[in-house]
Amino acid sequence: MTRLIQFELWKDCSNNCDFCFNKKFGKISSSKLKLERISFAKEFITGPKMKNYSAIGLIGGEFFGGQLSDKEVSEAFHSLIDLLALKLKDGSIEKVWVATALMFEGREELERTLKHFSDCGVLNNVLICTSYDVSGRFKGDGEKLWKDNMKFLKTRYPDIMLHTEIIITQDFVDAVLNNRFDISIFAKEFDTHIDFLEPNCGFSYKSKAEHAKYIKNFYPKRKSFIKFLQKVYTNGSIDLNSFLSSDLRAYSLYTEDNSGYKFFTDRAKKNSDLMCDIPSKVGYIDSDIEMRSDVVKFLEAHNE
């Protein structure tokens, strides 16, 4: 089983998604902080603790929407990417995940990043991880940029793997139930694997109930989610055995929360201090029952 460690390098992002759980941190990190985080990741990756992991993920924030405009930061970032490419080439690691919202026009930094992997002949071991949501994510021409960049990646880099995360919001549940969004057609159109996330209130709100006052139809109602399960089970558009499973999470994560840059590990075991593992902060709007537990019960009832 792949054991993934993720490094959040910074939270900088200008996409302003309605449900962003990093809003309180602002949109700009100093070059000094960025250089420190890149250096930290490089030291970890080349250190003895890396032997416990077989895959590495880089998350933000965003990397390719102007966040590398500082030349020193850009060079440091690409030296990190070069290190990852070499680790893939020599077999030290199996996979590299790079997260991006893909809502930008200039592709220079993205293509420079992928060139490191291409030059080492390891593009087929790279996952570009992105996100799509039926509401709350895209502003202006954001959705068009996302679609254009997805199609560009698959045309220009056919060996690369595309991974798209979708939040199980009430709007998404309704779109699937009312045939306004077809999961299978979407996956085929963009040649992407889809993973799904439970909605959470992030660091800016004390609870999902408080958060729901400011954003409508984000947290699903339990009854409609059960109907959703029945539909996707019937049409086979989601493998419910892995749906919302903690096994798909990064095993370990370095991220900044309300108390600084912190390390979380063995995330299959619920960490009470990590916001996405607290029932009052994640899941249904009308219940603290875990959404995954309802999936398991559904499968048991259908003898799966």
Side-chain angles (χ1 to χ4, degrees):
M1 180 178 176
T2 299
R3 183 173 284 194
L4 169 69
I5 181 168
Q6 287 183 321
F7 298 90
E8 180 191 71
L9 298 184
W10 51 76
K11 294 185 182 293
D12 293 37
C13 182
S14 58
N15 293 320
N16 198 32
C17 300
D18 292 346
F19 43 75
C20 178
F21 53 77
N22 286 328
K23 282 187 176 182
K24 68 167 288 182
F25 292 93
K27 297 179 181 179
I28 301 175
S29 300
S30 68
S31 294
K32 180 176 181 292
L33 181 144
K34 291 179 178 179
L35 291 170
E36 288 174 352
R37 296 281 173 80
I38 292 170
S39 178
F40 176 87
K42 290 174 70 174
E43 288 179 12
F44 188 102
I45 292 165
T46 55
K49 293 182 180 179
M50 190 59 218
K51 66 181 181 181
N52 298 317
Y53 304 96
S54 56
I56 296 170
L58 302 180
I59 62 174
E62 175 61 73
F63 302 126
F64 310 118
Q67 291 77 17
L68 299 174
S69 58
D70 182 292
K71 184 176 180 180
E72 187 177 5
V73 172
S74 177
E75 292 306 312
F77 177 80
H78 286 290
S79 71
L80 170 60
I81 296 297
D82 192 50
L83 172 63
L84 296 179
L86 292 173
K87 289 288 185 182
L88 283 173
K89 186 176 182 179
D90 69 19
S92 299
I93 55 175
E94 299 171 359
K95 292 282 191 298
V96 168
W97 304 52
V98 179
T100 170
L102 291 179
M103 288 186 275
F104 47 79
E105 293 181 343
R107 300 177 179 134
E108 294 83 4
E109 290 287 6
L110 173 62
E111 291 203 77
R112 184 181 173 190
T113 296
L114 296 179
K115 188 176 186 301
H116 291 283
F117 299 114
S118 179
D119 287 348
C120 286
V122 293
L123 262 181
N124 60 324
N125 298 109
V126 177
L127 287 87
I128 294 295
C129 303
T130 187
S131 301
Y132 183 95
D133 291 287
V134 298
S135 64
R137 178 169 296 279
F138 300 112
K139 303 290 189 299
D141 59 353
E143 184 173 12
K144 181 180 183 302
L145 288 171
W146 184 88
K147 290 180 176 180
D148 288 348
N149 283 325
M150 285 287 281
K151 291 178 179 179
F152 164 80
L153 283 170
K154 212 56 189 178
T155 301
R156 178 71 176 81
Y157 304 96
D159 292 335
I160 209 164
M161 293 176 280
L162 299 177
H163 177 99
T164 303
E165 292 185 337
I166 296 177
I167 303 173
I168 303 294
T169 64
Q170 184 63 50
D171 278 338
F172 178 71
V173 168
D174 290 342
V176 172
L177 290 176
N178 296 325
N179 299 316
R180 290 184 284 106
F181 187 93
D182 188 299
I183 296 169
S184 298
I185 290 176
F186 178 90
K188 184 177 181 180
E189 179 181 358
F190 296 104
D191 194 12
T192 183
H193 172 77
I194 303 176
D195 189 19
F196 299 90
L197 303 175
E198 299 155 287
N200 71 76
C201 68
F203 302 111
S204 301
Y205 299 92
K206 294 180 180 179
S207 68
K208 56 192 176 186
E210 178 189 353
H211 189 203
K213 296 177 182 178
Y214 301 94
I215 181 169
K216 295 182 178 180
N217 298 323
F218 185 60
Y219 299 95
K221 295 179 180 177
R222 190 177 180 218
K223 184 177 180 179
S224 60
F225 179 72
I226 301 300
K227 292 180 180 178
F228 170 90
L229 289 180
Q230 182 62 63
K231 180 159 188 172
V232 299
Y233 174 79
T234 301
N235 64 27
S237 58
I238 295 178
D239 178 4
L240 294 184
N241 290 292
S242 59
F243 181 52
L244 300 181
S245 171
S246 60
D247 292 341
L248 298 177
R249 297 178 179 179
Y251 186 84
S252 299
L253 168 69
Y254 275 99
T255 186
E256 183 178 2
D257 69 2
N258 290 323
S259 57
Y261 201 50
K262 295 174 65 176
F263 178 66
F264 300 93
T265 193
D266 199 359
R267 294 194 56 215
K269 297 178 181 178
K270 297 296 184 178
N271 292 288
S272 61
D273 54 349
L274 190 58
M275 52 93 184
C276 60
D277 293 332
I278 303 172
S280 64
K281 288 178 170 283
V282 61
Y284 299 124
I285 188 59
D286 54 355
S287 174
D288 283 341
I289 293 173
E290 292 183 4
M291 294 173 70
R292 175 60 188 174
S293 70
D294 276 336
V295 176
V296 172
K297 290 178 181 177
F298 180 92
L299 288 171
E300 290 173 347
H302 290 77
N303 298 315
E304 293 287 332

